């Protein structure tokens, strides 16, 4: 228990180093015991640097997800009420949809180290080797159906926030829900829903984040437009720290969504990489080319075509056409 406390204090330190004195005071133990727990954490695979007169700092963490590292001190209201962590599953989304239909509570999170049948948008596969994050969150928002697509935008905002906080990378969002770093995709969302007439029964928000995998695990065509957080930052990332921050950010933004969905749209717009660019949007058997003018109240992309007509699309693949940013 104290070992976990020390680990959490080190993990959540914004300043970098935490002094032995501060760790002892906050954990309520002696400095000798702090040192013993630091040694024990090193024995469990954590790299911990000790600098005289500054304190301790985590430099590396074992790349395994463990319940006992994810849950303690998470302090979320809804998200992560129940956490199910599996070594492998066909798809966390499929499992979470089944669990939701069988009554699992709102905020239940299903996480897997690998997926054998990971699902992407538009019926594609989501290749899911070890080293990344694959999770699905069960939500039961009491909102009308037309507000449901905003849940995906809310998820994108939370992912960007978690990546920026944990990895210090300038992540942004390409409509509808691709998270990009340096122009390449690092994360995607797949939302599935069960509804009755005009009401949401439950929603499963599925999130894949490419963290530490070898890019060689992907087929060439996908690899070209993909990066990982490790590749973008030049060092392996602590998946547990990222996951915990993501659960906190989802908790915060889901609450904002329930109180005032306009706030989510405002944040999404400020993080987006699409609006103001010339784009080609393919989907539903056609490709539209024009200026991405904005997103509407339901998160649909508004495109101004060259002949002056305005089109609104709710799904598709966007290519940002180079060298044509407007405004
Ligand atoms: C996309 O195509 O960009 C969406 C990818 C979503 C992948 C995640 S991984 C966890 C969850 N389970 C799945 O089968 N898919 C989503």
């Amino acid at each position: 228990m104290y070992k976990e406390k020390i680990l959490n204090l080190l993990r959540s330190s914004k300043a970098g180093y935490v002094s032995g004195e501060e760790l002892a005071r906050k954990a309520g133990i002696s400095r000798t015991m702090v040192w013993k727990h630091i040694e024990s954490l090193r024995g469990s695979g954590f790299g911990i640097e000790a600098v005289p007169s500054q304190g301790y700092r985590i430099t590396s963490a074992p790349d395994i997800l463990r319940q006992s590292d994810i849950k303690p001190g998470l302090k979320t209201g809804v998200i992560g009420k129940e956490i199910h962590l599996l070594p492998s599953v066909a798809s966390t989304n499929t499992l979470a949809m089944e669990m939701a239909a069988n009554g699992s509570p709102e905020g239940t999170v299903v996480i897997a180290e690998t997926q054998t049948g990971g699902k992407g948008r538009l019926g594609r596969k989501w290749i899911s080797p070890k080293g990344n994050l694959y999770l699905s969150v069960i939500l039961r928002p009491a909102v009308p159906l037309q507000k449901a697509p905003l849940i995906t935008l809310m998820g994108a905002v939370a992912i960007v926030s978690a990546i920026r906080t944990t990895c210090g990378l300038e992540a942004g969002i390409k409509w509808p829900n691709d998270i990009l770093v340096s122009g390449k995709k690092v994360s995607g969302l797949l939302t599935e829903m069960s509804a009755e007439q005009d009401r949401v029964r439950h929603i499963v928000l599925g999130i894949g984040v490419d963290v530490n995998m070898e890019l060689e695990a992907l087929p060439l065509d996908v690899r070209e437009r993909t990066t990982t957080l490790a590749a973008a930052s030049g060092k392996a990332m602590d998946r547990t720290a990222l996951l915990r921050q993501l659960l906190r950010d989802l908790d915060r933004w889901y609450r904002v969504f329930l109180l005032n969905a306009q706030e989510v749209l405002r944040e999404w717009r400020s993080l987006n990489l699409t609006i103001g660019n010339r784009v080609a949007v393919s989907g539903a058997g056609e490709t539209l080319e024009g200026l991405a003018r904005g997103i509407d109240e339901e998160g649909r992309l508004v495109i101004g075509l060259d002949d002056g007509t305005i089109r609104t699309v709710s799904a598709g693949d966007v290519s940002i056409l180079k060298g044509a940013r407007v405004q």
Side-chain angles (χ1 to χ4, degrees), residues 90-94 110 115 117-122 124-126 128 133-136 177-178 185 187-190 192 205-209:
S91 155
T92 55
N93 260 36
T94 306
V110 180
Q115 296 182 117
K119 300 186 289 186
R121 268 188 342 115
L122 309 170
R124 296 183 185 127
K125 284 187 184 145
W126 187 258
S128 311
L133 289 178
Y134 311 106
L135 63 142
S136 299
N177 47 25
D178 284 355
K185 182 161 170 173
S187 173
L189 288 122
L190 177 68
E192 295 185 66
L205 182 64
I207 299 173
V209 190

Side-chain angles (χ1 to χ4, degrees), residues 52-327:
S53 80
Q54 292 203 66
Y56 299 99
R57 182 174 74 97
I58 295 182
T59 53
S60 63
D63 200 17
I64 321 158
L65 297 175
R66 294 183 312 180
Q67 278 281 6
S68 56
D69 292 338
I70 300 169
K71 202 86 197 261
L74 198 57
K75 291 195 187 127
T76 52
V78 179
I79 310 297
K81 253 196 198 141
E82 271 185 26
I83 296 182
H84 300 263
L85 175 60
L86 305 160
S88 180
V89 70
S91 155
T92 55
N93 260 36
T94 306
L95 179 57
M97 282 297 279
E98 281 166 23
M99 289 168 65
N102 290 325
S104 283
E106 170 160 86
T108 298
V109 181
V110 180
I111 308 164
E113 287 280 12
T114 60
Q115 296 182 117
T116 52
K119 300 186 289 186
R121 268 188 342 115
L122 309 170
R124 296 183 185 127
K125 284 187 184 145
W126 187 258
I127 299 164
S128 311
K130 276 191 182 162
N132 295 332
L133 289 178
Y134 311 106
L135 63 142
S136 299
V137 183
I138 297 175
L139 301 172
R140 300 182 183 280
V143 295
L145 273 190
Q146 71 268 23
K147 258 186 144 185
L150 297 184
I151 290 274
T152 315
L153 304 195
M154 180 284 293
V157 164
I159 298 171
V160 168
S161 170
I163 291 177
R164 288 185 173 194
T165 307
T166 317
C167 313
L169 292 167
E170 273 297 302
I173 308 167
K174 186 178 80 147
W175 187 89
N177 47 25
D178 284 355
I179 311 303
L180 307 190
V181 171
S182 312
K184 292 192 168 186
K185 182 161 170 173
V186 281
S187 173
L189 288 122
L190 177 68
T191 309
E192 295 185 66
M193 178 171 68
S194 164
E196 56 192 37
Q197 287 181 349
D198 56 352
R199 189 182 79 83
V200 173
R201 203 179 286 135
H202 54 258
I203 290 182
V204 163
L205 182 64
I207 299 173
V209 190
D210 292 334
V211 187
N212 291 328
M213 73 166 168
E214 297 296 332
L215 278 161
E216 286 67 31
L218 301 177
L220 252 188
D221 58 324
V222 185
R223 199 186 306 169
E224 276 165 3
R225 36 193 167 83
T226 305
T227 190
T228 62
L229 296 175
S233 63
K235 58 177 190 297
M237 286 291 146
D238 181 347
R239 281 188 303 146
T240 306
L242 177 63
L243 174 64
R244 282 167 58 86
Q245 188 58 41
L246 179 55
L247 297 178
R248 285 193 204 104
D249 284 325
L250 283 169
D251 195 66
R252 176 161 65 97
W253 281 104
Y254 183 51
R255 229 171 312 142
V256 173
F257 164 80
L258 292 175
L259 288 172
N260 179 8
Q262 291 308 309
E263 274 294 316
V264 173
L265 280 171
R266 217 185 336 264
E267 185 69 5
W268 189 95
R269 287 187 181 108
S270 81
L271 300 173
N272 101 89
L273 304 165
T274 310
I275 297 164
N277 284 294
R278 271 192 74 77
V279 293
V281 186
S282 53
E286 61 173 351
T287 298
L288 301 173
E289 207 176 298
L291 174 67
R293 298 174 67 115
I295 53 165
D296 68 11
E297 305 279 281
E298 290 170 30
R300 291 175 300 202
L301 184 65
V302 181
I303 310 163
L305 304 186
D306 295 340
D307 66 4
T309 46
I310 302 288
R311 291 281 295 270
T312 303
V313 289
S314 51
D317 271 329
V318 170
S319 307
I320 295 171
L321 304 173
K322 288 211 173 74
R325 185 160 181 97
V326 181
Q327 287 153 9

